[in-house]
Amino acid sequence: MAFEAARLSPSLAAAFRSHRSSPAPPFLRRLPLLLPRRFLRTSASSSAASAGGDGRAVALPSSELRKRRNSSSGTSPPAEDDKLRSLRRLFARPDIAIDAYIVPSQDGHQSEFIAECFMRRTYLTGFTGSAGTAVVTKKNAAFWTDGRYFLQAEKELSHDWTLMRSGNHGVPTTIEWLNDVLPSGCRVGIDPFLFSSDAAEELKNAISDKNHELILIRDLNLVDEIWGESRPEPPKEPTRVHVIKYAGVDVPSKLSFVRSQLAENGCDTVVISMLDEVAWLLNMRGSDVPHSPVFYSYLIVEMSTATLFVDSSKVSEEVLEHLKKAGVNLKPYEAILSDVERLAEKGAKLWLDSSSVNAAIVSVFRSGCARYLKKRGKTGRQTGKESSSDEPTTTSHGVQNSAVNGLYQVSPVTLAKSIKNEAEIVGMKNSHLRDAAALAEFWCWLEEEVHKNVVLTEVQVAENLLEFRRKQDGFIETSFDTISGYGANGAIIHYRPTLDSCSSIGSDNLFLLDSGAQYVDGTTDITRTVHFGEPSPRQKECFTRVLQGHIALDQAVFPERTPGFVLDVLARSSLWKIGLDYRHGTGHGVGAALNVHEGPQSISYRYGNLTALQKGMIVSNEPGYYEDNSFGIRIENLLLVKEVNLANSFGGISYLGFEKLTFVPIQVPMHLIYCHVSVDEF
């Protein structure tokens, strides 16, 4: 499944090129809609629109387009949206007192997939896509999303919302917009549970340029307030033990590793907030979140104890016994803040991954540290600059004070989880074999149906694929919403068909199917592009060059300590030779019976990720090409990083390569291979 945000469309690439800035700092790539200035803001001409004074394309906000349509048709705009009206009323409450409120897509754990009760941005805006940020002021409401969702957002947003097409020339970032529309000295509110500490810190610093203040509203979420009783209940699905046969390493051994990392780094406690990290460390799985076998929880690991913060109703006797044997205690999910505060007040040295731990936890920790220092007569004395303990502060990557404060760096679980042990590798291989059997049956069935002229929509095809997978042992659920795109829909990278707006599969165009599954022993993700008739010469050439890139990466051999971005060129080179490219990364990490998208490894044109590929990691190999309004091509397998035996070992280092985990055939009969591509290019 293509993971990274789409690049600009070819029609806007030239306009963007002259204004491209240097890459964002590493943390900013984790919050793509809160970015530093990229474009100089230009005002649209009264003519419309689509061109700036220098002839380049300039995007108009959706509200302006609607005004013009209403003006030309003589109709009056509808009344203000009830949800926005109710939200703005809350701004004036004495205990809130803000001028703007930001609603991101995340939950309190920075999850990719979230439970329905946390889909606050969807509830407020009506936009159902997976990526976007809403910002509401007393007079304005704006919504940012990327190029994958422009058309969808235009259809789903009401007239009260201004659609900000992120990345288009002349479109400001959220921070630029806030600094522009708000008078100096305003208060911008956020729910600190929904922002990582790094993201909140960056936002605080950026809006301070206009003397605005960032307000952490911890005790209530304003969207939840207006959602009221109609808000879905939090999930209460039972957890389960991920047995040692599939986990490979027991919980005491994993906790011992974490404690050794704490000792090495001068800390005595770590807070784990990423749901897949908690699940991996405790050999547990759940079903609180669609497509991911995780459960809402936090974990605190100390040198002699460990505490899981979770709704106890999710913990069966079997799971409770499993945890007791590993020395893990239970506390309510909501008790995380009070425990962090307790640890800070007694002078504990905490390891916090500020790129994922939410700002509420970090803020409480710093407040507790300040009280501890005050008790010891050291108020405000830290290594680094002084700041209010109740606000986010600039973090340094190290222990800021020998007696207290925190280590702010990547969680010790992140890398360990990404390097699969032998049992996890066996499970991934076995689950991929069963998945391949399901897909082989499915493709045979679909080809027969199409050749019999049976009318099948994209939705029906996805539903039938699910039924084939359900027949396989150990199947749990899909690992993401199936991307089933025929013809022009295949050019939409994260397309999701719906019953009221989908195409039928035929033999006149390409069909792209990107799907995956969660099994008890592994996670799959696979994309195939097929044609049931005669493709055009253009489609043949593009398919051939995507396949060349796929093969080039599959066959790569590289020195140890090589980061993924170094290999990205292999997958794109064939396309570059004729001036083509694709708008997403080439590969993402994949969990073992966990999240289908996993870090820290990736293969991408984004060269900021310096994580080296290591033996035991799993990555996807998914180059593609997308011709807007015409067709899409993507070929995806999952690969296991392995050590390769070579005749030489220059510099005494090891060399690595890939082993395929995916066993589904690629449709490569002569009618899809472009004969004018030189054999030497393969």
Side-chain angles (χ1 to χ4, degrees):
M1 177 185 179
F3 185 40
E4 296 183 61
R7 287 179 174 178
L8 293 178
S9 63
S11 61
L12 291 172
F16 175 70
R17 211 169 281 126
S18 63
H19 291 277
R20 183 176 298 168
S21 67
S22 59
F27 124 72
L28 287 176
R29 283 186 287 275
R30 300 179 75 109
L31 190 69
L33 298 180
L34 295 177
L35 295 173
R37 181 176 298 270
R38 282 197 175 189
F39 306 105
L40 295 175
R41 191 169 184 188
T42 58
S43 58
S45 68
S46 58
S47 63
S50 34
D54 56 2
R56 291 173 297 191
V58 177
L60 285 177
S62 56
S63 58
E64 179 64 25
L65 295 174
R66 291 192 187 99
K67 284 178 187 174
R68 296 183 183 201
R69 283 199 292 267
N70 290 333
S71 175
S72 62
S73 62
T75 59
S76 300
E80 180 186 11
D81 180 87
D82 287 340
K83 293 173 185 174
L84 286 174
R85 186 186 303 112
S86 299
L87 183 67
R88 286 169 173 144
R89 282 199 199 106
L90 294 174
F91 287 11
R93 267 177 41 174
D95 58 331
I96 297 173
I98 58 173
D99 302 285
Y101 193 63
I102 303 176
V103 183
S105 299
Q106 291 89 344
D107 60 14
H109 304 267
Q110 304 301 300
S111 306
E112 178 186 4
F113 303 119
I114 62 176
E116 188 179 2
C117 62
F118 299 128
M119 295 180 180
R120 298 170 172 114
R121 186 264 300 156
T122 298
Y123 169 77
L124 180 66
T125 66
F127 173 72
T128 59
S130 64
T133 297
V135 184
V136 180
T137 69
K138 292 176 179 178
K139 295 182 179 179
N140 303 290
F143 181 77
W144 280 257
T145 192
D146 61 59
R148 298 169 295 170
Y149 300 111
F150 290 166
L151 293 177
Q152 180 180 346
E154 182 68 36
K155 288 195 297 184
E156 293 181 345
L157 295 175
S158 76
H159 75 284
D160 293 281
W161 291 92
T162 298
L163 173 58
M164 296 294 187
R165 297 167 176 83
S166 296
N168 279 8
H169 180 70
V171 175
T173 65
T174 53
I175 292 170
E176 289 173 333
W177 185 80
L178 278 169
N179 284 341
D180 184 47
V181 301
L182 294 177
S184 178
C186 285
R187 291 161 55 92
V188 177
I190 64 170
D191 180 341
F193 286 98
L194 306 185
F195 288 76
S196 72
S197 175
D198 280 348
E201 175 68 11
E202 182 66 23
L203 176 60
K204 171 180 174 279
N205 291 338
I207 64 174
S208 67
D209 290 345
K210 295 295 286 285
N211 204 29
H212 301 316
E213 182 182 3
L214 183 65
I215 306 299
L216 307 186
I217 307 174
R218 199 181 77 196
D219 296 331
L220 79 163
N221 182 283
L222 303 194
V223 176
D224 291 352
E225 284 289 293
I226 65 172
W227 206 340
E229 294 182 0
S230 62
R231 183 185 174 218
E233 290 292 319
K236 294 185 180 293
E237 298 300 318
T239 56
R240 56 185 168 87
V241 176
H242 189 58
V243 297
I244 196 68
K245 174 184 176 182
Y246 304 133
V249 178
D250 62 26
V251 179
S253 298
K254 291 181 178 180
L255 290 175
S256 178
F257 163 76
V258 170
R259 287 168 179 144
S260 71
Q261 294 296 299
L262 287 173
E264 266 184 43
N265 287 274
C267 295
D268 47 41
T269 306
V270 62
V271 177
I272 307 294
S273 67
M274 297 290 283
L275 300 184
D276 61 332
E277 293 189 1
V278 175
W280 179 84
L281 194 54
L282 297 183
N283 289 347
M284 289 173 62
R285 297 295 186 267
S287 52
D288 282 353
V289 176
H291 312 300
S292 297
V294 296
F295 52 98
Y296 280 105
S297 57
Y298 296 96
L299 180 67
I300 290 181
V301 180
E302 299 176 70
M303 296 306 290
S304 58
T305 63
T307 305
L308 176 64
F309 298 82
V310 67
D311 184 340
S312 60
S313 68
K314 301 177 184 179
V315 182
S316 66
E317 286 298 323
E318 179 191 8
V319 173
L320 188 59
E321 184 63 25
H322 166 77
L323 292 171
K324 281 182 178 177
K325 285 180 180 177
V328 179
N329 303 313
L330 286 187
K331 284 192 177 181
Y333 178 79
E334 297 79 12
I336 182 65
L337 292 185
S338 60
D339 258 48
V340 168
E341 192 169 34
R342 173 186 60 81
L343 288 164
E345 288 177 349
K346 74 175 190 179
K349 300 177 188 175
L350 260 66
W351 184 332
L352 297 163
D353 184 344
S354 55
S355 67
S356 60
V357 173
N358 64 57
I361 289 175
V362 174
S363 177
V364 163
F365 173 64
R366 289 179 177 150
S367 297
C369 287
R371 286 189 287 275
Y372 173 78
L373 288 168
K374 186 174 183 179
K375 212 181 298 182
R376 296 190 56 177
K378 298 179 180 179
T379 306
R381 208 172 83 204
Q382 296 181 15
T383 300
K385 67 180 185 180
E386 294 185 9
S387 61
S388 167
S389 61
D390 293 326
E391 297 177 349
T393 61
T394 301
T395 62
S396 66
H397 293 272
V399 178
Q400 294 183 341
N401 182 284
S402 59
V404 71
N405 227 305
L407 175 71
Y408 300 96
Q409 68 180 31
V410 174
S411 162
V413 178
T414 302
L415 184 61
K417 176 173 57 65
S418 72
I419 301 173
K420 310 309 186 263
N421 61 50
E422 197 56 43
E424 290 173 323
I425 291 170
V426 169
M428 288 293 279
K429 289 181 177 180
N430 289 339
S431 61
H432 274 79
L433 280 170
R434 299 196 303 278
D435 202 52
L439 280 154
E441 285 188 277
F442 162 80
W443 283 115
C444 287
W445 165 81
L446 181 59
E447 187 170 28
E448 287 180 6
E449 296 298 287
V450 171
H451 288 159
K452 289 189 293 188
N453 296 319
V454 176
V455 177
L456 290 167
T457 66
E458 296 161 332
V459 170
Q460 289 173 317
V461 167
E463 289 172 345
N464 276 277
L465 173 57
L466 177 59
E467 293 308 312
F468 280 102
R469 278 193 165 117
R470 277 184 174 143
K471 297 176 186 176
Q472 297 299 316
D473 291 341
F475 174 81
I476 298 174
E477 63 173 329
T478 55
S479 56
F480 55 93
D481 285 323
T482 297
I483 299 169
S484 173
Y486 179 74
N489 291 338
I492 303 171
I493 295 169
H494 278 190
Y495 174 72
R496 185 176 67 179
T498 58
L499 286 171
D500 58 347
S501 61
C502 63
S503 299
S504 296
I505 310 303
S507 57
D508 298 327
N509 211 330
L510 290 167
F511 174 53
L512 186 154
L513 186 70
D514 187 347
S515 68
Q518 293 286 1
Y519 293 90
V520 68
D521 52 348
T523 303
T524 71
D525 182 1
I526 174 175
T527 309
R528 291 293 182 264
T529 305
V530 302
H531 201 299
F532 295 116
E534 181 59 35
S536 69
R538 173 70 169 177
Q539 291 173 335
K540 290 181 183 180
E541 179 172 23
C542 294
F543 182 93
T544 302
R545 292 189 178 276
V546 170
L547 179 59
Q548 286 177 309
H550 180 90
I551 293 172
L553 181 56
D554 179 88
Q555 299 296 306
V557 175
F558 48 94
E560 62 180 340
R561 298 192 292 275
T562 298
F565 77 83
V566 173
L567 305 181
D568 186 73
V569 63
L570 299 176
R572 299 179 192 270
S573 181
S574 290
L575 288 165
W576 287 353
K577 289 176 181 177
I578 59 169
L580 299 181
D581 204 347
Y582 49 95
R583 306 162 180 165
H584 56 75
T586 298
H588 57 81
V590 179
L594 266 176
N595 291 355
V596 72
H597 294 142
E598 172 183 89
Q601 74 275 22
S602 68
I603 299 174
S604 172
Y605 58 89
R606 299 181 185 276
Y607 52 83
N609 186 351
L610 299 178
T611 302
L613 296 178
Q614 297 187 42
K615 178 184 176 182
M617 286 181 169
I618 293 173
V619 293
S620 65
N621 172 11
E622 50 182 311
Y625 174 69
Y626 311 89
E627 196 134 298
D628 292 348
N629 304 309
S630 185
F631 62 85
I633 298 165
R634 185 159 65 249
I635 303 171
E636 177 185 16
N637 286 345
L638 296 192
L639 305 174
L640 171 68
V641 182
K642 66 174 185 177
E643 192 169 338
V644 294
N645 294 318
L646 302 176
N648 304 291
S649 180
F650 183 81
I653 63 174
S654 298
Y655 281 77
L656 304 174
F658 297 115
E659 177 183 345
K660 282 185 286 292
L661 295 177
T662 308
F663 295 97
V664 178
I666 297 171
Q667 187 191 31
V668 288
M670 288 308 296
H671 77 284
L672 262 176
I673 297 297
Y674 188 60
C675 62
H676 294 294
V677 174
S678 168
V679 174
D680 293 336
E681 291 189 47
F682 275 94

